[in-house]
């Protein structure tokens, strides 16, 4: 099995989206350009959501159009619906992400509809993306614990993950959105999902509220997963997940997996500088 680990840098989107201070567009562009210089192959740049709901992402178009692109790097955006997808396509997103929750409570609170309604809503987005040659990553929120519904049944994670894969997502992200999962819980849900989907199709997205994210990555590595989301400087939280702190910090993930004998291909020194810059943005 490969010892190459790919980090999907989500700081500019999942991170900044949840910061209270409004970040200047030029700082966001600078951050993405700096991340490109670190050697990331996948960067989640922004989110095409309604500015009414997420004012921090109101400049999505300007940011995606303003960055300097490097060859071979995937610059992605979150697109919850067709309207968002059309804007992302216009701004030449290489990939788009759709998010479905594993619990009805989180789905209602986060996107105002049931799980199955959300999956139905995503179908035309995936279809339009396929037609435009844009890849789609599907993400499952709250895979172990939900702030509204409590402990999550792995069966419902499998249901949503499978639906996203069958819809045409080339990758399915599994997210501990509130950052309270333990390695035991992650192992349990991964075992369930791996019965239906191969490890190569999966990625891990772990917040670090309870300080278990690195252990959760480790158990995921043991299960064959080699793609992980993280945010430079540990930016962010989740507005719909009360109490959640940021994503696991990219620099901590790189350090940890390197010690475990894996290879990320990232410029560690530069990463440290960008982490300082990113943390400075929160003020
Ligand atoms: Zn997240």
């Amino acid at each position: 099995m490969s010892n190459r680990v790919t980090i999907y840098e989500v700081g500019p989107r999942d991170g900044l989206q949840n910061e209270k201070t409004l970040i200047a567009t030029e700082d966001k562009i600078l951050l993405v350009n700096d991340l490109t210089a670190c050697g990331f192959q996948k960067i989640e740049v922004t989110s095409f959501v309604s500015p009414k709901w997420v004012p921090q992402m109101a400049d999505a178009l300007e940011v995606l159009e303003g960055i300097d692109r490097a060859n071979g790097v995937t610059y992605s955006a979150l697109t919850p619906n067709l309207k968002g997808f059309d804007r992302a396509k216009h701004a030449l997103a290489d990939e788009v992400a759709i998010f479905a929750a594993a619990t009805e409570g989180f789905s209602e609170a986060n996107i105002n509809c049931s799980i199955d309604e959300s999956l139905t809503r995503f179908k035309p987005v995936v279809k339009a993306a396929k037609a435009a040659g844009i890849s789609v990553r599907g993400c499952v929120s709250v895979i172990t614990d939900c702030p509204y519904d409590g402990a999550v049944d792995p069966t419902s994670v499998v249901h949503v993950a499978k639906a996203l894969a069958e819809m045409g997502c080339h990758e399915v992200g599994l997210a501990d959105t509130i950052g309270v999962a333990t390695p035991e819980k992650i192992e349990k849900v991964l075992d369930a999902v791996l019965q239906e989907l191969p490890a190569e199709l999966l990625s891990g997205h772990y917040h670090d509220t309870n300080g278990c994210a690195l252990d959760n990555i480790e158990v995921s590595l043991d299960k064959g997963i080699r793609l992980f989301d993280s945010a430079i400087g540990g930016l962010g939280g989740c507005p719909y997940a009360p109490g959640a702190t940021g994503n696991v910090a990219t620099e901590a993930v790189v350090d940890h997996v390197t010690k475990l004998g894996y290879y990320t291909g990232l410029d560690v020194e530069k990463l440290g500088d960008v982490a300082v810059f990113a943390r400075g943005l929160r003020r």
Side-chain angles (χ1 to χ4, degrees), residues 28-114:
K28 294 177 183 172
I29 292 172
L30 206 58
L31 178 63
V32 175
N33 289 347
D34 282 350
L35 290 166
T36 297
C38 290
F40 288 97
Q41 288 178 320
K42 292 167 183 285
I43 303 174
E44 193 174 64
V45 176
T46 189
S47 177
F48 287 90
V49 285
S50 165
K52 200 171 70 193
W53 298 111
V54 190
Q56 186 72 269
M57 294 286 124
D59 57 1
L61 199 74
E62 288 91 329
V63 174
L64 197 51
E65 288 184 338
I67 55 170
D68 297 325
R69 289 162 186 248
N71 278 339
V73 180
T74 298
Y75 297 96
S76 74
L78 198 155
T79 59
N81 50 41
L82 258 184
K83 197 176 157 200
F85 171 76
D86 284 337
R87 293 173 64 213
K89 183 182 150 193
H90 179 83
L92 303 178
D94 299 305
E95 178 165 283
V96 294
I98 52 178
F99 276 73
T103 66
E104 296 296 349
F106 198 83
S107 193
E108 287 294 345
N110 197 12
I111 44 182
N112 274 304
C113 62
S114 72

Side-chain angles (χ1 to χ4, degrees), residues 215-240:
D215 293 335
N216 294 339
I217 286 175
E218 205 168 320
V219 72
S220 308
L221 285 165
D222 291 343
K223 298 284 173 191
I225 294 173
R226 294 290 181 269
L227 177 60
F228 298 97
D229 292 1
S230 62
I232 191 80
L235 290 172
C238 179
Y240 303 101

Side-chain angles (χ1 to χ4, degrees), residues 118-135:
S118 74
L119 293 171
T120 304
R121 199 185 283 180
F122 291 143
K123 279 181 189 156
V125 177
V126 177
K127 205 174 156 208
K130 292 245 150 190
I134 297 171
S135 58

Side-chain angles (χ1 to χ4, degrees), residues 3-23:
N3 66 345
R4 169 81 193 216
V5 165
T6 302
I7 306 280
Y8 209 124
E9 172 57 48
V10 299
R13 199 288 300 173
D14 198 19
L16 292 186
Q17 172 168 329
N18 300 309
E19 294 296 338
K20 283 178 189 74
T21 319
L22 212 59
I23 316 286

Side-chain angles (χ1 to χ4, degrees), residues 138 159-172 197 201:
H159 166 69
V160 177
K162 249 182 95 175
L164 290 169
E166 280 163 7
M167 214 182 278
C169 294
H170 75 108
E171 180 204 319
V172 176
L197 301 173
L201 197 85

